[in-house]
Amino acid sequence: FIESLSTYARLFIEKIDRPDVDDIRNLRPAVALQQQNTIKTSRSTVGTLTEIHDYLRLLFSKIAQPYCPICGKLIKQWSPESIVEDLISNQKGKRAMIIFPSDKRVEELIRMGYHRFREDGEVILDRLIIGDEKRLTDSIETAWSEGGGEVIVDIVGDSIIRYTKKLMCSDCGFIAEQPHPMLFSFNHPLGACPACRGFGNVLKYVEDKIVPDKSLSLKDMAIEPWSKPSLRWWYKQLLRGAPKSGIDINIPYRELTEDKKRLLFKGTEYFYGLDDFFSTLEEKKYKLHVRVFLSRYREAVVCSECGGKRLKAEALSYKVASKDISEFLEMSISDLKNYIKDIKLSDHHKIISEEILKQIYDKLS
Ligand SMILES: [Zn+2]
Ligand SMILES: [Zn+2]
């Protein structure tokens, strides 16, 4: 049965060893039926129809690196080794205090042998001149574990550097999420753009459909949806309230200023606007005729939050060889194949991703 599953699915299943037995009786064979489902929905692309998207998500969860969407800088995950490396190469010869934050009580810290403190529960672990790698490593490692993955290095009279195990941009404070494979799926709430729920576009009410004939005045029923007999109430309250809000109901719609047109949507203290109207109707969307009615005034526009990439910013902040996952999915099969063949990766990442890249390459062939 397991052989009938995709390689990707098997990655999650083959964690159980084969049982150590010679003979099993009275066990019926498992039957697996293949689901025939090739219907292309608005959620499908080449990447979702094939297994390639799954492999790319796996690839991203293993080797993608997060870049801050605000400043574009690589967000590093610090470790004691990389902190020491950073300090030796950038702060050598300077006097520094190695500090860690703690929420323990002072009495307890004193019992543990710490005697120097700063305000806000910060413990001064060591004062040293950056240079002796052995001593620096010892101090940083201790501070890192006492501080639960947080170390503060006060370069005396210069700057304060905060190192954290969190995936955080040190300049902007943007925190990247852990690169779970689901983070790279627009079908999963963990990865989907919250504004368009992973569809890549949103439905917007558009002026051209609401006011198809802009030579009409408001009095001549320029606003088409409100000209329906059953919705005249909306029109009456507009014609009553608009003059009080400084809107001329006798001139053609196209001659109204942008500010006045905006008021027709937003409403004023004297009348309800089109936004109120549409949101009132949306509460009755469970009725088919309401949905049909609303759809006549809407158009799908590219989601401004994700730019049509369907994933949330935290997912798009991750890149492999300078491309985010949606840029991989947009590539044609032959482009993706060539790209993967010549992909530039660090030796470490090459080893981790070799098998996945080979699988993607084979699927594309
Ligand atoms: Zn930043
Ligand atoms: Zn979006």
Side-chain angles (χ1 to χ4, degrees):
F1 169 68
I2 291 193
E3 274 70 40
S4 72
L5 294 173
S6 72
T7 0
Y8 180 68
R10 263 184 272 157
L11 285 174
F12 297 103
I13 289 176
E14 277 192 328
K15 281 177 181 152
I16 311 161
D17 290 333
R18 284 173 184 280
D20 185 18
V21 291
D22 297 323
D23 189 16
I24 299 175
R25 282 163 199 270
N26 296 327
L27 190 66
R28 288 158 201 273
V31 177
L33 296 175
Q34 191 183 5
Q35 188 190 7
Q36 290 286 345
N37 189 0
T38 51
I39 301 161
K40 208 176 151 97
T41 68
S42 69
R43 283 180 181 271
S44 295
T45 64
V46 180
T48 56
L49 286 175
T50 64
E51 275 182 287
I52 289 162
H53 191 190
D54 292 341
Y55 280 108
L56 285 173
R57 290 197 288 123
L58 197 60
L59 176 74
F60 267 73
S61 71
K62 298 258 188 242
I63 66 163
Q65 290 184 291
Y67 290 79
C68 174
I70 301 157
C71 70
K73 246 177 45 181
L74 176 66
I75 298 172
K76 275 197 239 173
Q77 183 148 40
W78 292 102
S79 63
E81 303 84 68
S82 60
I83 296 172
V84 170
E85 213 180 284
D86 184 57
L87 288 171
I88 298 242
S89 48
N90 295 315
Q91 311 291 346
K92 200 166 184 166
K94 293 186 184 159
R95 288 200 305 130
M97 288 193 278
I98 311 298
I99 298 156
F100 65 85
S102 176
D103 45 23
K104 292 199 174 82
R105 284 171 41 234
V106 173
E107 295 80 4
E108 199 178 334
L109 288 163
I110 290 172
R111 216 176 308 129
M112 290 165 71
Y114 297 114
H115 299 285
R116 288 174 294 179
F117 307 100
R118 304 209 309 182
E119 65 278 27
D120 300 336
E122 291 177 353
V123 184
I124 300 172
L125 178 89
D126 200 3
R127 293 168 199 265
L128 45 73
I129 289 169
I130 293 169
D132 179 351
E133 196 172 330
K134 171 82 178 60
R135 170 152 174 206
L136 185 62
T137 304
D138 284 350
S139 292
I140 293 290
E141 277 176 353
T142 309
W144 183 261
S145 77
E146 292 288 347
E150 309 268 332
V151 176
I152 302 156
V153 178
D154 187 341
I155 308 293
V156 179
D158 187 349
S159 58
I160 292 172
I161 312 171
R162 288 171 187 274
Y163 296 102
T164 167
K165 68 175 177 188
K166 284 190 204 128
L167 284 165
M168 187 171 83
C169 175
S170 49
D171 292 348
C172 313
F174 173 84
I175 296 178
E177 280 178 34
Q178 290 302 320
H180 190 274
M182 290 306 172
L183 180 65
F184 303 104
S185 168
F186 40 72
N187 288 323
H188 195 281
L190 214 62
C193 165
C196 63
R197 288 179 298 143
F199 284 98
N201 47 46
V202 287
L203 292 170
K204 275 227 168 95
Y205 294 100
V206 286
E207 188 190 25
D208 283 350
K209 298 194 174 213
I210 297 163
V211 188
D213 183 352
K214 296 187 180 55
S215 69
L216 294 177
S217 67
L218 291 176
K219 205 173 176 182
D220 294 330
M221 298 202 184
I223 296 175
E224 198 267 345
W226 288 354
S227 67
K228 307 271 178 283
S230 61
L231 297 168
R232 284 289 163 78
W233 177 85
W234 290 89
Y235 231 123
K236 281 189 194 136
Q237 59 96 31
L238 171 71
L239 294 181
R240 243 182 286 122
K244 291 181 197 158
S245 311
I247 300 170
D248 191 338
I249 58 172
N250 296 305
I251 59 170
Y253 177 87
R254 72 160 76 90
E255 285 174 26
L256 293 170
T257 62
E258 290 305 314
D259 281 354
K260 299 284 192 259
K261 286 179 191 167
R262 235 189 320 276
L263 288 182
L264 294 176
F265 280 83
K266 295 266 165 267
T268 70
E269 56 181 310
Y270 300 110
F271 67 88
Y272 293 104
L274 282 154
D275 291 351
D276 297 312
F277 169 68
F278 286 122
S279 58
T280 306
L281 278 191
E282 273 175 22
E283 285 165 20
K284 295 180 191 149
K285 255 199 323 208
Y286 56 90
K287 292 181 182 165
L288 178 66
H289 73 274
V290 172
R291 282 204 300 280
V292 173
F293 178 79
L294 288 176
S295 70
R296 287 166 44 199
Y297 304 104
R298 283 192 300 205
E299 225 171 57
V301 294
V302 173
C303 172
S304 57
E305 187 98 5
C306 63
K309 290 183 165 190
R310 306 168 76 176
L311 290 162
K312 65 180 182 184
E314 285 80 355
L316 293 170
S317 70
Y318 276 92
K319 290 179 183 176
V320 168
S322 81
K323 283 190 193 298
D324 65 42
I325 192 164
S326 81
E327 290 169 313
F328 274 80
L329 292 170
E330 279 163 15
M331 276 191 254
S332 72
I333 289 180
S334 61
D335 284 352
L336 182 56
K337 236 175 96 177
N338 289 331
Y339 192 76
I340 283 174
K341 205 170 72 188
D342 302 327
I343 201 163
K344 300 261 179 299
L345 297 172
S346 69
D347 291 344
H348 177 57
H349 283 166
K350 239 181 246 167
I351 296 164
I352 302 172
S353 62
E354 197 182 5
E355 180 58 26
I356 306 170
L357 286 172
K358 188 182 166 303
Q359 292 279 357
I360 297 175
Y361 192 82
D362 290 349
K363 297 272 171 205
L364 291 170
S365 302

